[in-house]
Amino acid sequence: RASQLLGDIFNDLEMKEPYRSFGFLALQILIDAEKKAHRENPSLIKLAHSHHHHHREGDDGVHQEDAFLHEAQDMLIDVTGAAMGLRLLNAKVEACLIAPVSLGDGHVVFSHGNIAVPAPATANIVKDHGLACVMGPVNTELCTPTGAAILAALKAKLVNNHYSGLISIGTSRGSKSLPIPPLKLFTNNC
C-alpha cells in the first residue's frame, strides 16, 4: 500500500524521472530494512503488536509492507519532499558526504516502544548500503530509517573534495533543539 500511495502522490505532483525512481528506491530500501529488522528482532513484533491497529497478512504469512511502516505518513512526506527538492533544484540523484553521518545515541520512543539508537532498520540500511557513519554526538536519534534510506537511494559516499564547483549552501535544524551545528547541504557542479 505504501508503494501505491507514493505512486498516487507522484502522479498528482507529475513527478518525472529520475526523481520518481529515486523515491521508489528509497521506499523499497526502507521496506526491506524494516522487514529485516522485524525478522531479526522478534521483540519489535511484540512491541508493534501491543498497540491497537490491524495488519493484513500476505498469502505467504508475511506481513505486507504496511505492517513495517508504522510511521508511514511521515515517511511518505519525507521521501516525497526529498524527491521534490531534488526535482526543483534540477539536481542529480546522488549525494556526497563531507563527513560521516551522525546517528546520535541513547534511546528513542516510537510505535515499537523504547529502542536503542540507531533503530534496527537504520542499522540495517547503514550496514547493507555502506553508509559512512559515527555514533553521537548527542543522546537522541539524528538519523532515522527514512533518512538513511534516502541517503542510500542517493548512493551517498564519503568524499574529500567537497567544495569543488560549489553553487549554494543550505542549513536545516529540523524540529529538535540541539547543542550541535545544524545540518549543512551543499549543491555543486561535480
Side-chain angles (χ1 to χ4, degrees):
R1 247 182 61 158
S3 295
Q4 181 182 353
L5 287 171
L6 187 62
D8 292 345
I9 292 166
F10 280 179
N11 288 341
D12 289 347
L13 295 172
E14 299 179 3
M15 189 68 67
K16 304 289 186 215
E17 294 299 338
Y19 311 108
R20 186 179 187 90
S21 291
F22 155 74
F24 282 110
L25 177 59
L27 176 63
Q28 192 58 56
I29 290 168
L30 181 59
I31 290 168
D32 292 346
E34 289 284 359
K35 285 181 178 180
K36 183 177 179 182
H38 281 78
R39 275 194 314 272
E40 294 175 349
N41 300 283
S43 61
L44 289 179
I45 295 170
K46 290 176 189 169
L47 287 168
H49 289 268
S50 66
H51 57 265
H52 303 288
H53 65 269
H54 301 284
H55 300 290
R56 295 181 314 188
E57 294 210 8
D59 295 336
D60 60 358
V62 177
H63 292 292
Q64 297 293 331
E65 62 190 52
D66 316 14
F68 302 101
L69 301 173
H70 298 288
E71 287 77 24
Q73 184 177 16
D74 289 344
M75 178 274 310
L76 289 172
I77 290 167
D78 292 346
V79 169
T80 300
M84 182 59 81
L86 290 167
R87 181 180 119 181
L88 291 173
L89 292 169
N90 197 29
K92 295 178 184 175
V93 180
E94 59 187 45
C96 298
L97 302 172
I98 60 171
V101 176
S102 296
L103 300 176
D105 214 332
H107 288 83
V108 65
V109 178
F110 69 120
S111 65
H112 292 316
N114 186 350
I115 60 171
V117 171
T122 302
N124 289 338
I125 294 167
V126 164
K127 179 182 173 196
D128 294 348
H129 294 273
L131 292 177
C133 64
V134 294
M135 294 300 293
V138 293
N139 282 332
T140 190
E141 181 180 52
L142 295 177
C143 184
T144 65
T146 305
I150 289 168
L151 288 172
L154 289 170
K155 297 175 181 33
K157 298 294 179 209
L158 194 59
V159 298
N160 291 327
N161 186 12
H162 57 278
Y163 292 109
S164 173
L166 185 65
I167 297 172
S168 62
I169 300 173
T171 61
S172 174
R173 171 65 68 193
S175 62
K176 292 182 179 179
S177 177
L178 301 171
I180 57 175
L183 174 68
K184 282 191 178 178
L185 303 173
F186 300 85
T187 57
N188 64 22
N189 288 323
C190 58

